[in-house]
Amino acid sequence: MNSRLPEMLHCLNSTTSENCEMSVLERQRSRLKQQEQLTHHHPPIPYFNGNDHLAYSGFHGDQALSDLVLNGGAMKPDPGVEHDDFRRFMNYGTGTTDFQMSCALPRTVSCPPYVAAASVDSAAGKESCKKRKAHNLKIAAEEKKMKGCAEEESKITEQNSNSKSTTTTISTSANKNNKGPSANAKKASDAPKTDYIHVRARRGQATDSHSLAERVRREKISERMKYLQDLVPGCNKVTGKAGMLDEIINYVQSLQRQVEFLSMKLAAINPRLDFDIENYILKEMFPACPPAMEPDHSHLQFNTSVEEVSGSGLEMVVGPMDATLRRTISAPITVQQSFLDSSSLNQIQQVTWEDELRNLYSMEYQQGRSTPFISQQITGFLEANHVKLEM
Amino acid sequence: MKARMQMSSSVVKQEFFKKWIKGMQIYSAFNKEMTIMERKRAIKLSADVAIASTRSATTQWSRAVVADVSTSAAGAARAAAEEILGRKLPERKALATTCSKKIVRRSHQRRSKAAARGVVRSSAAIAKKLVRNRTRVLKRLVPGGKKLDEISLIKETLDYIACLQVQVDVMRHLAAAAESLDHQQISF
């Protein structure tokens, strides 16, 4: 672009210098020709002609900057879209386990909120002038100050504070958009965003306070539904709220049933509850043990569940641990590759393991797996002691 | 970002596991001989309280779980729950859920009237009704969900699902570990 711009400047200059002697018709014709030239030069930027003053302003910047400027100019009619995507992206990044249910600003947000916060007064000025076309409704929650059409806004603030009183029973902060407390702590920069809800009715949409409030509510719900879609497997294929709720209900039920089943299983496996104590010792000693102890078929399940709960990024540490494990574990056992992986997965937290402990781990592993020299009536508890003795 | 996410969930898992084990230890210390159902209940309750205590008091559902235990549980269960939570449970009486008979009757009447009239509903109304029914079901499933409005219900559901996933994951691990131990005992 930088290379193209001077050309264009030159074109413009030449035409303007000629313009002095040209009639109106000629001027127009030349401009048309020049525009043709420009479009020929810049086919990928169709809105370039409309915004060439913007291009001038971005001239000194690099390509990205000027592109940004151009985009900003072009996106003016609906800047909320891009912004919304950005917010979603941010929230994806911070993850679902933290439950930053920052109620992202609705799609009809008229402009990014930091801009909104800065230019509240200017927005108020605009509001009065284009009241009929696009009715801006600004809600200042804390200050309760109202501008523009006072009546409607007061209704909205009332309604929103009502909803706040119900929802902030969960979130400790009295924040408007019921962001989670963790989100507040982490993203201090986001805090000013939540002070205002900027609602803008599109053309043909109702502008009375109830409709606006309802729309805000619906958008909040759909926003959260998106997160749920990410969390619940198989939910992203379903469309419609009822179907999604169905999926969610099924999933919650299945999880609850799984908990029931697992507790029943655990109760059935062991005659006493202190079976856990020995495992507890094992786990305390070798926090990476449980996947090592478990048979391979459950390892598969483990992998799938890990994908959902704890995300990926597990593969990073596999390399060195894997190598050491393979070195210490001797030939007789045929250990599957995937099994090794799974056992080293949990060791991310224990990166600072010493060599001895690592060796011990593998020794214990060998013992548990392949050495049938322990006598017949050995109990699990004795085995645990055995391991401890080896320590 | 993802690493942090994973980290936090593994921290939650460890915390849950420790609390769970602690609760079961208390349980088994209280009475040595339990039937399988008693054991199952003990495991379930300590798992529930443990997962609730990992998100202590920040969410509605965890509070509801704790409140439920504090009203219903007694003896060993209470002691275990108190141990897990690290605080005394307040003595709470179960709230008598009284519903006005008048209101119930009236709502029934209205429904029957609408049915009697045989009003042909629009598809939008049907969809709305489906959503409403499902929301009601979901409210039943999520502990403490009855008091929530729709927005916070979804938020709570998100939290609850994630916690259930952690719970299931840890429990599955433990079950697998215990099972493999069991198998070894049999095979030796």
Side-chain angles (χ1 to χ4, degrees):
Chain A
M1 182 120 100
N2 279 350
S3 61
R4 283 171 187 170
L5 272 171
E7 270 179 41
M8 192 192 67
L9 273 173
H10 176 70
C11 279
L12 275 176
N13 281 338
S14 65
T15 45
T16 41
S17 61
E18 285 163 15
N19 274 350
C20 309
E21 289 91 35
M22 274 195 284
S23 70
V24 180
L25 194 75
E26 277 170 342
R27 221 180 293 159
Q28 274 188 344
R29 201 174 296 155
S30 75
R31 190 163 291 164
L32 262 179
K33 207 169 77 183
Q34 174 207 330
Q35 279 191 349
E36 260 174 45
Q37 235 176 0
L38 277 176
T39 45
H40 184 68
H41 273 293
H42 311 283
I45 313 168
Y47 44 78
F48 191 77
N49 288 324
N51 292 323
D52 43 5
H53 60 287
L54 279 170
Y56 284 134
S57 70
F59 179 73
H60 293 293
D62 53 351
Q63 166 109 31
L65 188 66
S66 53
D67 261 339
L68 232 169
V69 170
L70 276 176
N71 277 334
M75 297 280 282
K76 266 267 150 63
D78 197 3
V81 175
E82 192 188 27
H83 179 62
D84 198 39
D85 284 349
F86 174 63
R87 283 298 303 254
R88 271 183 62 196
F89 170 69
M90 288 288 285
N91 282 320
Y92 278 133
T94 48
T96 44
T97 44
D98 285 342
F99 306 107
Q100 305 190 343
M101 239 82 58
S102 55
C103 145
L105 288 146
R107 192 150 288 210
T108 49
V109 160
S110 67
C111 52
Y114 47 86
V115 181
S119 65
V120 162
D121 297 279
S122 69
K126 270 185 222 161
E127 191 180 63
S128 56
C129 68
K130 49 176 179 177
K131 203 186 274 176
R132 290 255 66 94
K133 273 190 179 172
H135 186 94
N136 281 345
L137 223 151
K138 185 165 51 344
I139 300 150
E142 274 76 21
E143 302 133 39
K144 302 255 182 194
K145 66 179 174 190
M146 300 146 208
K147 290 172 187 172
C149 22
E151 192 190 307
E152 287 186 325
E153 278 183 15
S154 67
K155 270 184 195 165
I156 282 285
T157 29
E158 252 176 44
Q159 203 147 348
N160 271 325
S161 56
N162 277 345
S163 73
K164 190 174 74 178
S165 68
T166 55
T167 50
T168 45
T169 50
I170 303 154
S171 63
T172 51
S173 68
N175 215 328
K176 184 80 196 164
N177 283 359
N178 34 1
K179 292 186 90 177
S182 60
N184 276 333
K186 272 178 200 160
K187 293 202 210 165
S189 61
D190 273 7
K193 290 185 181 185
T194 62
D195 290 344
Y196 302 96
I197 301 178
H198 228 87
V199 190
R200 183 179 199 167
R202 292 223 185 86
R203 207 192 164 107
Q205 285 181 327
T207 53
D208 62 316
S209 61
H210 290 289
S211 317
L212 282 176
E214 175 62 20
R215 202 173 306 131
V216 168
R217 188 181 141 273
R218 252 182 280 138
E219 272 154 9
K220 268 187 201 166
I221 288 174
S222 64
E223 185 74 26
R224 271 163 204 177
M225 282 299 213
K226 266 178 221 147
Y227 293 122
L228 269 177
Q229 262 186 338
D230 293 340
L231 205 62
V232 178
C235 199
N236 41 12
K237 286 171 191 113
V238 195
T239 52
K241 203 174 164 196
M244 234 146 73
L245 278 173
D246 251 353
E247 285 293 317
I248 290 161
I249 286 166
N250 282 342
Y251 190 57
V252 170
Q253 269 178 338
S254 79
L255 281 175
Q256 282 175 343
R257 261 185 232 127
Q258 251 174 315
V259 170
E260 289 275 337
F261 167 74
L262 283 169
S263 51
M264 193 73 202
K265 195 175 167 189
L266 282 172
I269 287 173
N270 282 68
R272 288 158 296 134
L273 279 178
D274 48 357
F275 75 94
D276 300 301
I277 298 166
E278 84 207 25
N279 269 321
Y280 185 54
I281 295 163
L282 277 179
K283 281 207 178 183
E284 281 295 286
M285 289 195 304
F286 317 102
C289 246
M293 300 295 288
E294 72 188 58
D296 287 321
H297 66 268
S298 62
H299 156 65
L300 288 177
Q301 291 173 339
F302 166 71
N303 256 354
T304 53
S305 63
V306 153
E307 260 177 19
E308 290 150 22
V309 179
S310 51
S312 59
L314 297 169
E315 301 84 4
M316 309 179 292
V317 202
V318 169
M321 292 306 274
D322 197 20
T324 50
L325 271 178
R326 225 174 303 162
R327 217 187 317 127
T328 47
I329 290 175
S330 48
I333 334 154
T334 55
V335 189
Q336 292 176 10
Q337 178 65 34
S338 60
F339 182 77
L340 270 176
D341 283 356
S342 85
S343 62
S344 52
L345 288 184
N346 273 19
Q347 290 166 4
I348 297 169
Q349 299 107 40
Q350 275 74 34
V351 190
T352 57
W353 271 24
E354 301 118 45
D355 268 348
E356 302 138 21
L357 209 58
R358 214 176 290 161
N359 282 339
L360 246 179
Y361 168 49
S362 62
M363 273 169 67
E364 187 268 343
Y365 170 74
Q366 277 184 333
Q367 201 129 56
R369 274 270 148 164
S370 64
T371 50
F373 67 82
I374 311 169
S375 60
Q376 286 94 336
Q377 8 97 308
I378 190 161
T379 63
F381 196 70
L382 271 179
E383 197 184 33
N385 280 341
H386 186 65
V387 174
K388 256 198 292 184
L389 276 178
E390 280 199 341
M391 279 288 277
Chain B
M1 283 294 197
K2 264 189 175 168
R4 205 181 66 197
M5 211 170 99
Q6 195 260 324
M7 195 60 203
S8 75
S9 93
S10 76
V11 165
V12 167
K13 271 182 201 170
Q14 275 176 7
E15 195 187 343
F16 162 67
F17 184 71
K18 276 182 191 152
K19 284 177 171 169
W20 184 32
I21 294 301
K22 214 200 282 172
M24 283 194 286
Q25 278 171 338
I26 300 289
Y27 243 113
S28 59
F30 254 76
N31 46 351
K32 299 285 179 207
E33 291 303 315
M34 286 195 269
T35 62
I36 186 166
M37 286 317 285
E38 273 172 351
R39 251 179 288 140
K40 183 232 163 190
R41 217 171 298 133
I43 291 168
K44 176 89 183 355
L45 184 129
S46 35
D48 280 345
V49 176
I51 197 70
S53 75
T54 57
R55 305 201 56 76
S56 58
T58 50
T59 51
Q60 204 74 24
W61 68 264
S62 60
R63 272 192 266 171
V65 167
V66 171
D68 194 38
V69 168
S70 76
T71 53
S72 64
R78 202 177 182 81
E82 276 170 359
E83 182 63 30
I84 290 169
L85 291 167
R87 63 184 161 89
K88 279 278 171 197
L89 288 173
E91 279 294 335
R92 255 191 245 186
K93 282 170 196 162
L95 293 170
T97 49
T98 52
C99 49
S100 166
K101 280 178 186 168
K102 220 179 203 176
I103 293 172
V104 170
R105 206 185 305 137
R106 207 179 296 154
S107 71
H108 276 298
Q109 274 173 1
R110 192 182 297 161
R111 192 177 295 164
S112 61
K113 239 183 233 171
R117 255 186 277 143
V119 181
V120 182
R121 289 218 185 97
S122 69
S123 58
I126 291 169
K128 220 178 249 178
K129 189 162 184 254
L130 283 179
V131 168
R132 214 185 311 132
N133 286 345
R134 264 148 215 174
T135 313
R136 210 185 302 137
V137 175
L138 195 60
K139 274 185 184 177
R140 257 210 323 274
L141 287 179
V142 177
K146 289 217 166 116
K147 296 164 200 161
L148 300 174
D149 61 273
E150 204 174 348
I151 295 173
S152 39
L153 175 73
I154 292 171
K155 192 175 156 187
E156 290 287 313
T157 313
L158 264 170
D159 198 309
Y160 186 56
I161 285 178
C163 281
L164 273 181
Q165 280 175 343
V166 167
Q167 201 182 12
V168 166
D169 200 39
V170 172
M171 286 177 94
R172 192 184 285 155
H173 276 158
L174 189 64
E179 206 174 34
S180 69
L181 268 180
D182 224 35
H183 279 311
Q184 280 164 26
Q185 281 170 34
I186 291 164
S187 64
F188 290 151

